[in-house]
């Protein structure tokens, strides 16, 4: 069997579809979007707001956490110093067997290294050592009466003297708010603000307490360093977040801007423009889908132009013959003999066939909108189509064989349209096969794949001259006719109608031919779901 189609179209050039550089196509997707555009600016603003809010929240949390951590660590260090001072005072108490003559020099040395102000009281709350340094034991060079003389009344009134830690004149009486007495209710290891207190314990009992006051500027260096690093990290994070936001915005909006630019170029008449955006995920799929659609539009437009040219060519020959014959009759150059009129009538019939085929093709292209689907048996459909076309096949000298399936093959389709498609296949076979060839029509079921319902297959095979391998891709093109069909009548629309009708039913049609001849046209239709009643 030889395909019934028109003049072979020129192969579509890859360069014509791709279009790069000077031929009108857009540059690579990497060059897209010099400006972000309105969408890009809005996306960047949204990313920037999210980044700023996140960085501000993290910075505030870091500052609060750092401040609290530094404060807790600093207070723990102060408390350890107070515990050491209390331990030193307890040792002095045990060595002197009481506060009389106790040497508190080691305690004062510890306090001096911590840059703190020390106050020591006995268990009754009487001041033993004031911030001015008075009331020391024998180790300090003062008498026992001096240690208690100024503090015996418990008022803490002590003459002014120089602070051993700072060398400045300080009041002998500590700040009452910073020096809690025994009645303050603070237990061992208690602290308040920049002051800490520790009990002095000897032989399992509390014999006094130490109170350390620290200056306001104590420990601020660590906080300043931590805050400086947090501020620098926040600024670096903000710069990085803005840079990443801008990059992501460009990556997101670049393909969209590129596709929009290509669409405007195509609408302006540049059919070679393509987006060609290399983007990940859905954006890449959008670009590839758009380019595929543009290729299809370009091919459809070329096919439309080719169809118009082919139709004009097909109509020109019979019209020219009719015109010439009628002019001869009109001018008296030929007699209106029956043979002459019969030749003119044949040309009108040829014109009628071409117009009818074009109308049939138009109806087939719109069949998707006009299908009247019912559930029918393909086995009976094949038998009916063969029965209707059998006289034409036998008149061509062909032997017809039918191999129906053993059981019903239900499909949900338009019976008239499928009957028309099978009739076109059989007529095409009768037109191009040689007398004595055999035509075999087979109907069978194809096992389902995955979750589908399988397919119903119809094969029309013959042992005719076959189709050259180079012409197989074009057998279903409109008005395309193979090299072996030049001496055979026909408009080259029959197989195009078959393809349109089968595609409208959601099926596929393909042609194959062996090197030794013979052609097989295979039609696959979706099988109806199991249990569907036949109409």
């Amino acid at each position: 069997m030889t395909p019934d189609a028109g003049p072979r179209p020129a192969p579509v050039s890859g360069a014509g579809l791709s279009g790069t550089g000077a031929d009108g196509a857009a540059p690579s997707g990497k060059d897209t979007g010099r400006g972000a555009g309105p969408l890009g600016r809005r996306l960047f603003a949204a990313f920037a707001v999210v980044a700023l809010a996140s960085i501000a929240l993290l910075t505030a949390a870091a500052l609060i956490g750092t401040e609290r951590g530094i404060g807790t660590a600093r207070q723990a260090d102060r408390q350890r110093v107070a515990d050491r001072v209390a331990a030193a005072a307890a040792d002095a108490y045990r060595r002197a067997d009481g506060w009389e003559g106790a040497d508190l020099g080691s305690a004062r040395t510890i306090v001096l290294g911590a840059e703190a102000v020390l106050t020591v009281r006995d268990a009754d709350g009487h001041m033993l050592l004031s911030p001015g340094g008075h009331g020391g034991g024998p180790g300090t060079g003062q008498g026992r009466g001096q240690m208690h003389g100024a503090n015996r009344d418990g008022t803490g009134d002590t003459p002014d003297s120089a602070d051993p830690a700072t060398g400045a004149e300080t009041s002998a009486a500590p700040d009452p708010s910073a020096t809690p007495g025994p009645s303050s209710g603070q237990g061992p290891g208690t602290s308040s603000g920049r002051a800490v207190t520790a009990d002095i314990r000897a032989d399992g009992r509390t014999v006094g307490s130490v109170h350390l006051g620290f200056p306001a500027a104590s420990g601020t260096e660590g906080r300043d360093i931590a805050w400086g690093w947090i501020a620098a990290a926040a600024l670096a994070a903000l710069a990085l977040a803005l840079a990443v936001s801008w990059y992501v915005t460009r990556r997101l909006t670049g393909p969209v801007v590129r596709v929009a630019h290509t669409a405007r170029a195509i609408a302006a008449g540049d059919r070679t423009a393509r987006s060609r955006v290399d983007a990940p995920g859905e954006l890449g799929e959008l670009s590839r889908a758009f380019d595929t659609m543009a290729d299809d539009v370009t091919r459809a437009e070329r096919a439309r132009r080719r169809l118009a040219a082919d139709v004009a060519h097909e109509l020109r020959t019979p019209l020219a013959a009719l015109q010439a014959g009628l002019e001869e009759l009109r001018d008296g150059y030929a007699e209106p003999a029956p043979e002459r009129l019969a030749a003119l009538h044949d040309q009108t019939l040829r014109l009628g066939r071409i117009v009818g085929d074009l109308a049939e093709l138009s109806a087939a292209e719109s069949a998707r909108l006009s299908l009247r689907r019912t559930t029918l048996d393909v086995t009976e459909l094949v038998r009916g189509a063969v029965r209707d076309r059998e006289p034409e096949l036998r008149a061509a000298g062909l032997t017809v064989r039918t191999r129906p399936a053993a059981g019903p093959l239900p499909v949900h389709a338009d019976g008239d349209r499928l009957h028309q498609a099978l009739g076109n296949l059989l007529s095409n076979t009768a037109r191009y096969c040689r007398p004595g060839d055999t035509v075999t029509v087979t109907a069978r079921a194809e096992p389902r794949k995955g979750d589908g319902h399988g397919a119903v297959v119809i094969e029309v095979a013959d042992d005719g001259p076959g189709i050259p391998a180079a012409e197989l891709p074009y057998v279903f093109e409109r008005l395309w006719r193979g090299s072996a069909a030049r001496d055979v009548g026909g408009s080259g629309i029959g197989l195009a109608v078959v393809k349109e009708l089968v595609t409208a039913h959601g099926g596929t049609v393909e042609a194959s031919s062996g090197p030794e001849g013979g052609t097989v046209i295979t039609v696959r239709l979706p099988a109806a779901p199991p249990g569907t009643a036949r109409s």
Side-chain angles (χ1 to χ4, degrees):
M1 179 172 60
T2 304
D4 183 7
R8 177 178 176 180
V12 178
S13 172
L17 291 179
S18 62
T20 56
D23 61 355
S28 171
K30 296 181 180 179
D31 300 331
T32 62
R34 291 185 176 88
L39 175 61
R41 289 192 292 270
R42 286 193 291 269
L43 283 176
F44 178 70
F47 289 148
V49 168
V50 173
L52 288 173
S54 302
I55 293 173
L57 180 61
L58 291 176
T59 302
L63 289 175
I64 295 174
T66 301
E67 181 67 21
R68 291 186 177 182
I70 291 177
T72 301
R74 186 167 58 242
Q75 199 67 11
D77 291 340
R78 292 172 178 175
Q79 189 62 52
R80 283 192 291 270
V81 172
D83 293 339
R84 289 173 57 199
V85 172
D91 290 341
Y93 178 87
R94 283 190 292 269
R95 285 194 299 268
D97 195 17
W99 290 117
E100 292 293 338
D103 183 5
L104 299 178
S106 59
R108 295 176 63 186
T109 302
I110 296 173
V111 172
L112 183 63
E115 299 181 354
V117 178
L118 173 63
T119 301
V120 181
R121 295 177 183 271
D122 61 12
D124 297 329
H126 300 151
M127 185 175 292
L128 303 176
L129 182 64
S130 67
H134 293 281
T140 66
Q142 298 178 357
R144 296 170 61 186
Q146 290 177 319
M147 176 178 176
H148 291 280
N151 302 295
R152 184 70 64 183
D153 57 357
T155 61
D157 294 332
T158 310
D160 292 343
S161 63
D163 187 347
T166 63
E169 293 294 329
T170 59
S171 173
D175 185 359
S177 63
T179 311
S183 62
S184 63
Q186 289 179 313
T190 61
S191 62
S192 175
R194 292 185 297 272
V196 292
T197 302
D199 291 340
I200 303 173
R201 299 182 63 83
D203 300 329
R205 59 190 180 89
T206 301
V207 296
S209 64
V210 295
H211 179 84
L212 272 66
F214 292 86
S218 176
T220 58
E221 296 82 359
R223 180 183 61 186
D224 295 340
I225 294 175
W227 283 25
W229 276 101
I230 291 174
L235 292 177
L238 178 60
L240 179 61
L242 293 178
V244 172
S245 298
W246 180 248
Y247 174 76
V248 172
T249 299
R250 293 290 297 272
R251 289 287 291 174
L252 289 177
T253 59
V256 178
V257 172
R258 185 69 191 145
V259 171
H261 175 76
T262 306
R264 288 192 295 269
I266 293 176
D270 183 6
R271 296 295 186 264
T272 62
R274 298 294 182 269
S275 61
R276 302 190 183 283
V277 175
D278 183 15
E282 290 79 0
L283 293 175
E285 293 179 3
L286 171 65
S287 173
R288 289 188 290 272
F290 181 85
D291 289 346
T292 301
M293 180 197 68
D295 292 340
D296 293 340
V297 170
T298 301
R299 283 193 292 267
E301 183 174 0
R302 291 180 178 177
R304 178 180 59 80
R305 293 177 179 177
R306 186 174 64 248
L307 176 62
D310 292 342
V311 169
H313 175 75
E314 290 291 330
L315 294 177
R316 186 180 296 114
T317 300
L319 283 176
L322 277 174
Q323 181 180 358
L326 292 175
E327 287 178 352
E328 287 180 348
L329 293 177
R330 183 196 63 186
D331 296 337
Y333 293 110
E335 294 293 332
E339 296 81 4
R340 187 61 178 171
L341 295 177
L344 295 177
H345 181 261
D346 291 340
Q347 296 298 331
T348 60
L349 293 179
R350 184 180 179 185
L351 280 175
R353 284 195 303 270
I354 295 174
V355 173
D357 290 342
L358 291 175
E360 187 178 9
L361 178 61
S362 176
E365 290 177 341
S366 61
R368 190 183 302 272
L369 302 177
S370 60
L371 291 180
R372 298 180 180 179
R373 295 177 181 268
T374 59
T375 303
L376 52 90
D377 184 7
V378 170
T379 301
E380 296 182 2
L381 180 70
V382 168
R383 288 172 177 166
V386 172
R387 183 173 57 252
D388 293 343
R389 299 287 178 171
E390 189 171 5
E392 179 182 358
L393 295 171
R394 294 192 182 280
L398 304 179
T399 302
V400 183
R401 295 177 181 175
T402 304
R403 295 178 180 176
L409 300 175
V411 296
H412 193 61
D414 188 328
D416 293 336
R417 296 292 188 180
L418 288 185
H419 190 280
Q420 178 185 359
L422 288 176
N424 283 5
L425 289 177
L426 294 174
S427 295
N428 197 71
T429 302
R431 184 178 297 114
Y432 293 105
C433 282
R434 302 161 299 192
D437 291 338
T438 301
V439 180
T440 304
V441 183
T442 305
R444 57 183 175 83
E446 192 173 72
R448 67 179 183 178
K449 299 179 180 179
D451 297 333
H453 299 299
V456 174
V457 179
I458 304 173
E459 291 182 350
V460 178
D462 63 67
D463 53 2
I467 304 172
E471 298 179 359
L472 282 174
Y474 307 103
V475 295
F476 297 104
E477 294 283 344
R478 300 178 181 88
L479 300 174
W480 184 80
R481 302 177 69 190
S483 57
R486 295 171 182 173
D487 299 331
V488 180
S491 60
I493 295 179
L495 292 184
V497 171
V498 172
K499 181 179 179 180
E500 293 294 338
L501 293 176
V502 173
T503 303
H505 285 86
T508 60
V509 58
E510 57 185 12
S512 61
S513 186
E516 298 179 357
T519 302
V520 179
I521 303 294
T522 304
V523 176
R524 285 183 175 82
L525 298 170
T532 303
R534 188 180 66 181
S535 301

